[in-house]
């Protein structure tokens, strides 16, 4: 009986490759096959096998050079240290990991056909997590934690609370005054919070009530608004007055902002579900695709401004989704839900255009920006939004420009939020590469060097911003934390921990900072010092700041842990710069600077973590 697909049989009998002499078995001729037309098929199969041979040879001799042997372990063989002596009886799971400060060395290798990756590097096995017991007896600020979630978005009975118009006005005022400047998609000059759709208004109130002086009242009202908003949005296609997919995504963003960073504890699981739902709706409704930035009626200035606000709000909402997705990956090691390639939007416009109070000011700044853009090119291929310019280059193109071998600082000013989005790409890419290296035991120096070069190229942009506004501070804090992780891989991530809340993340940071030793050499200390000193100085100088974003406090706390480890290893110069006499006095200093942030849930978690650190 004739087979329906004879090529399947012939493929299984196709010539096999000899790995010893790179030869192939003889290919039967048409006569041997006895079937007309099989000769052409065998030729195709033979070409396919030659391609496999070539591919096998290219894997045996990859295109990129291996790191010189003398530079493979610039800080000594793995398992050794130049700091305080480690126990000679350390198990492999306790072996200190190798920091990547060799990326800063003056080695400039050219691409050849020698090796694609460095030879196998002995990286430590992730430590066992069985001893990490995250048992937090303190209840969350919204009351007892809900039961383990099932497939529903409504987790708790909503208390019967009737908000007065005065309370609503106060809550919206507090949100607009303290948090709205850090929410990129809210166009404050034209936004009317009182007429916003109900779920968006509730999500704003859940955040705004956090700034009430009465803590108990703040917790009660915030929890009520959060649960009510979650109930409205529990369906896949929620129905409410003024419902649009964009409004739904914006409401979900603010609700999981509250759940993860303000309610914390047991509410985090719900917040992460809300985050996943916002991504799913954005994909389903096609929000990843940009809107036209110009109105068809070009003779009407108000129509042009209205279309600009609509398009820019759409774009900034999706970038805020991307920002949160990256934040959960960097803070909780939560797997990312979004691909970088899904961000098909242009970069955000200049802050001067976005904050223009009226249409005439917007038109004037747009004209000035057009004149500035017609000036001489910077030659770097990077165009960001300056003070009077509108973002006009795709996010992917900007990232490619920064990641190119000749990345240069653009001649036009860069808005802090645009710079933050580029830094987030580098930060998440750093995590992905460190995870790959930990899993395989190999270090892809090409990718690390590209990230290092890009981060160094963006330094004048990030650190050159005026320290006004949360975006400028947030961008520099994120950039410096990424530079620290480039040298010292994040221990939670490389040990395979995915924290379920900020409570667990803080406990893991404390536990792993003492469970694993870090190799500190003079070179590593010198590279870390300016970044650690920035965080210590920031904590020392900043007064009580209600607008400080939670992740800024978290990154600062992680930097303090690294400075503490560095001081314990015999290099107290960084902490002495800010007036700390030694390791013994560091606890009092840390307690004092974070005491100013104790009004917020993140500050309370830091203070609780300090008690665990002092007991060590």
């Amino acid at each position: 009986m004739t087979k329906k697909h004879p090529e399947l049989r012939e493929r299984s009998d196709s010539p096999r490759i000899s790995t010893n002499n790179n030869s192939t078995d003889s290919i039967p001729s048409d006569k041997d096959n006895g079937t007309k037309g099989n000769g052409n098929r065998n030729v195709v199969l033979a070409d396919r096998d030659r391609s496999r041979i070539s591919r096998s040879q290219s894997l045996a001799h990859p295109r990129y050079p291996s790191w010189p042997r003398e530079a493979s372990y610039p800080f000594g063989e793995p398992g050794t240290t130049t700091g305080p002596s480690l126990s000679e009886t350390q198990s492999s799971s306790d072996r200190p990991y190798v920091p990547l400060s060799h990326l800063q060395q003056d080695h400039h290798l050219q691409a050849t056909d020698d090796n694609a990756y460095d030879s196998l590097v002995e990286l430590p096995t992730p430590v066992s997590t069985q001893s990490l017991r995250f048992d937090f007896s303190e209840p969350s600020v919204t009351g007892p934690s809900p039961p383990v979630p099932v497939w529903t978005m409504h987790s708790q009975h909503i208390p019967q609370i009737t908000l007065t118009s005065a309370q609503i006005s106060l809550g919206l005022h507090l949100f607009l005054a303290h948090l709205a400047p850090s929410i990129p998609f809210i166009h404050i000059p034209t936004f009317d919070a009182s007429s916003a759709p109900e779920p968006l208004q509730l999500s704003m109130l859940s955040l705004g009530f956090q700034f009430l002086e009465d803590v108990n009242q703040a917790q009660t009202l915030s929890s009520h608004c959060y649960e009510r908003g979650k109930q409205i949005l529990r369906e896949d296609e929620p129905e409410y007055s003024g419902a649009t997919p964009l409004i739904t995504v914006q409401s979900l963003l603010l609700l999981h902002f509250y759940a993860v960073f303000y309610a914390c504890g047991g509410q985090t699981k719900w917040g992460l579900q809300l985050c996943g739902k916002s991504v799913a709706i954005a994909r389903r409704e096609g929000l990843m695709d940009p809107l036209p930035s110009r109105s068809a009626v070009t003779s009407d200035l108000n129509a042009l401004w209205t279309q600009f606000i609509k398009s820019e709000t759409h774009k900034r909402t999706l970038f805020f989704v991307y920002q949160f997705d990256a934040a959960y990956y960097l803070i909780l090691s939560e797997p990312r839900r979004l691909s970088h390639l899904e961000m098909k939007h242009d970069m955000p416009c200049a802050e001067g255009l976005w904050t223009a109070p009226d249409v005439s000011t917007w038109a004037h700044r747009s004209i000035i920006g057009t004149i500035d853009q017609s000036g001489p090119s910077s030659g770097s291929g990077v165009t960001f939004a300056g003070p009077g310019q509108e973002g006009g280059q795709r996010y992917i193109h900007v990232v490619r420009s920064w990641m190119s071998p000749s990345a240069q600082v653009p001649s036009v000013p860069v808005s802090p939020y645009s710079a933050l989005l580029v830094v987030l790409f580098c930060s998440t890419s750093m995590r992905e590469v460190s995870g790959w290296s930990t899993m395989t035991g190999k270090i892809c120096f090409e990718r690390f060097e590209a990230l290092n070069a890009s981060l160094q190229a963006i330094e004048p942009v990030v650190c050159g911003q005026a320290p006004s506004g949360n975006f400028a501070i947030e961008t520099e804090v994120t950039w410096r934390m990424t530079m620290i992780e480039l040298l010292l891989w994040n221990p939670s991530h490389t040990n395979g921990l995915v924290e379920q809340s900020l409570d667990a993340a803080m406990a893991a940071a404390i536990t792993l900072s003492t469970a694993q030793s870090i190799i500190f050499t003079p070179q590593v200390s010198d590279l870390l010092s300016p970044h650690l000193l920035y965080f210590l100085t920031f904590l020392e100088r900043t007064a009580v700041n209600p607008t400080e974003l939670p992740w800024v406090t978290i990154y600062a706390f992680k930097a303090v842990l690294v400075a503490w480890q560095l001081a314990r290893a015999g290099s107290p110069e960084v902490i002495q710069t800010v007036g700390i006499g030694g390791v013994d006095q560091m606890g009092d200093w840390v307690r004092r600077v974070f005491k100013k942030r104790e009004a917020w849930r993140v500050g309370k978690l830091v203070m609780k973590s300090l008690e665990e650190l002092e007991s060590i």
Side-chain angles (χ1 to χ4, degrees), residues 516-582:
Q516 286 185 307
S517 300
I518 298 178
I519 299 175
F520 288 109
T521 67
Q523 184 183 21
V524 176
S525 301
D526 292 342
L527 294 171
L528 287 173
S529 293
H531 307 298
L532 298 178
L533 184 59
Y534 167 84
F535 281 105
L536 297 182
T537 305
F538 172 80
L539 291 171
E540 175 70 29
R541 293 181 178 178
T542 53
V544 178
N545 181 16
T547 63
E548 182 174 294
L549 295 171
W551 40 85
V552 171
T553 307
I554 294 170
Y555 290 150
F557 177 65
K558 290 186 176 182
V560 166
L561 289 179
V562 176
W564 173 73
Q565 289 175 298
L566 183 63
R568 290 187 66 195
S571 300
E573 294 79 13
V574 173
I575 65 173
Q576 290 175 350
T577 305
V578 293
I580 304 174

Side-chain angles (χ1 to χ4, degrees), residues 4-11 14-15 27-28 30 33 35-49:
K4 186 175 181 180
H5 299 289
E7 66 274 10
L8 297 179
R9 173 63 179 170
E10 294 188 21
R11 183 174 298 176
S14 61
I27 302 176
D30 292 352
N33 290 323
T35 304
K36 186 177 180 179
N38 283 348
N40 291 336
R41 183 180 298 112
N42 288 328
V43 171
V44 173
L45 292 174
D47 291 341
R48 185 178 299 164
D49 289 327

Side-chain angles (χ1 to χ4, degrees), residues 90 93-95 127-128 131-132 508-517 565 568 616:
Q90 274 184 317
S93 63
D94 294 329
R95 186 180 298 116
V127 298
S128 173
S131 61
L132 303 180
I510 290 291
T511 303
L512 292 175
S513 66
T514 57
Q516 286 185 307
S517 300
Q565 289 175 298
R568 290 187 66 195
I616 298 174

